[in-house]
Amino acid sequence: MAKIISIANQKGGVGKTTTAVNLSASLAVLEKKVLLVDCDPQANATSGLGINPDELEKSVYDCILGEAKADDVIYETDTPNLDLLPTRIDLVGAEVELVNKKGREQFLSRVLEPLRANYDYIIIDCSPSLGLITLNALTASDSVIIPIQSEYFALEGLGKLLNTVRIVQTRLNPKLTIEGLLITMYDSRLRLARQVVDDVRGHFKQLVFETVIFRNTKLAEAPSYGKSIIMHDAASSGAVNYLNLAQEILTRNTAAQ
């Protein structure tokens, strides 16, 4: 049975999609069967794995609205063991179409629950907002990873996100936990970056992953090739960082069983 993990932060530019794509690929390389679900209307996870969103006949949007079965929409990727449930820009419309429906926060759960038996991990790339689609993702998830960029405004908005997680836990999904806070875009040469890491670790303790994602040119350019960092340059520091993160998550989850 798959563990479902959302990658969420309403703050843009924190490495959320980079984490969703490359953590998924890393878990797959470590011989776990993984499904990446693109729930960001920008569709960067979809294009980042080599699929053109404009050419999709169906997407996660159609699955959420009950107009397609997920099995008919899922794509195999170039990375062994990694499948993708893609999206396109029309996912924006799902927020409007769901707003007056009963149980509007549960629609993605209904899509993903039947897929649990087919995978070890289901990773959801959320949009940079706390809208209805992100609420659907958190309601469907067992846990959430929160990427935090190592910069001055790193903690801005984090309280709001954590409050949203608490609301989801109380009202919609009591099993939801925080998988961890992930430091991204780290540059060890910058004193400010080191200070941010110390502050985050000091405040959130064991919630912060030991693994840190360093700034890396290969990591930044991989999406332009439609590849994960594992397939683009497996020897790069970005690939090593995400493989370490995947191993840390596997170790944590094994210990918790």
Side-chain angles (χ1 to χ4, degrees):
M1 290 286 286
K3 181 171 189 177
I4 303 178
I5 305 175
S6 281
I7 316 293
N9 193 328
Q10 80 273 22
K11 194 173 187 294
V14 298
K16 180 180 53 59
T17 297
T18 299
T19 295
V21 169
N22 293 305
L23 173 59
S24 296
S26 297
L27 287 167
V29 166
L30 294 174
E31 300 186 341
K32 299 299 179 181
K33 183 68 175 169
V34 183
L35 174 66
L36 174 59
V37 182
D38 192 349
C39 279
D40 183 349
Q42 296 175 86
N44 290 334
T46 297
S47 61
L49 285 175
I51 294 170
N52 186 344
D54 295 331
E55 296 178 357
L56 293 173
E57 291 185 13
K58 299 286 185 179
S59 73
V60 69
Y61 168 80
D62 302 282
C63 299
I64 289 173
L65 296 182
E67 296 172 1
K69 291 184 178 180
D71 287 334
D72 298 328
V73 182
I74 290 172
Y75 283 71
E76 291 185 358
T77 73
D78 290 340
T79 305
N81 297 321
L82 176 59
D83 292 344
L84 172 71
L85 183 52
T87 198
R88 52 189 180 188
I89 188 64
D90 59 4
L91 184 63
V92 170
E95 301 241 350
V96 178
E97 296 188 50
L98 293 178
V99 71
N100 292 318
K101 291 186 180 290
K102 185 177 180 181
R104 61 189 182 180
E105 300 91 353
Q106 312 282 346
F107 277 68
L108 185 60
S109 292
R110 295 171 197 160
V111 175
L112 299 184
E113 281 298 322
L115 301 175
R116 278 189 190 262
N118 302 335
Y119 297 94
D120 297 304
Y121 286 90
I122 297 175
I123 308 293
I124 307 174
D125 183 27
C126 298
S127 64
S129 74
L130 294 179
L132 191 49
I133 297 301
T134 298
L135 281 178
N136 263 264
L138 294 175
T139 302
S141 296
D142 300 302
S143 64
V144 56
I145 292 174
I146 304 172
I148 301 175
Q149 189 175 354
S150 52
E151 62 167 26
Y152 183 71
F153 293 111
L155 301 182
E156 186 181 63
L158 183 58
K160 188 175 181 181
L161 176 58
L162 293 174
N163 189 53
T164 299
V165 170
R166 282 191 289 271
I167 291 170
V168 172
Q169 289 169 328
T170 302
R171 302 181 184 176
L172 298 167
N173 180 9
K175 73 177 186 296
L176 180 67
T177 62
I178 296 176
E179 188 79 23
L181 278 62
L182 176 67
I183 304 294
T184 63
M185 303 181 189
Y186 180 67
D187 187 339
S188 59
R189 298 169 299 177
L190 300 179
R191 183 188 301 173
L192 175 61
R194 297 196 300 271
Q195 184 63 51
V196 168
V197 171
D198 289 344
D199 289 348
V200 172
R201 290 198 189 282
H203 190 73
F204 292 102
K205 312 295 184 188
Q206 286 84 5
L207 275 181
V208 186
F209 286 109
E210 288 296 324
T211 304
V212 171
I213 309 300
F214 284 72
R215 285 192 180 276
N216 177 244
T217 302
K218 294 291 185 181
L219 197 57
E221 72 184 22
S224 66
Y225 292 90
K227 294 181 178 181
S228 68
I229 188 61
I230 302 296
M231 301 302 287
H232 178 56
D233 188 346
S236 67
S237 64
V240 172
N241 289 166
Y242 277 107
L243 282 167
N244 287 341
L245 176 64
Q247 189 60 65
E248 185 174 351
I249 288 171
L250 292 177
T251 301
R252 283 188 179 193
N253 282 281
T254 300
Q257 290 176 356

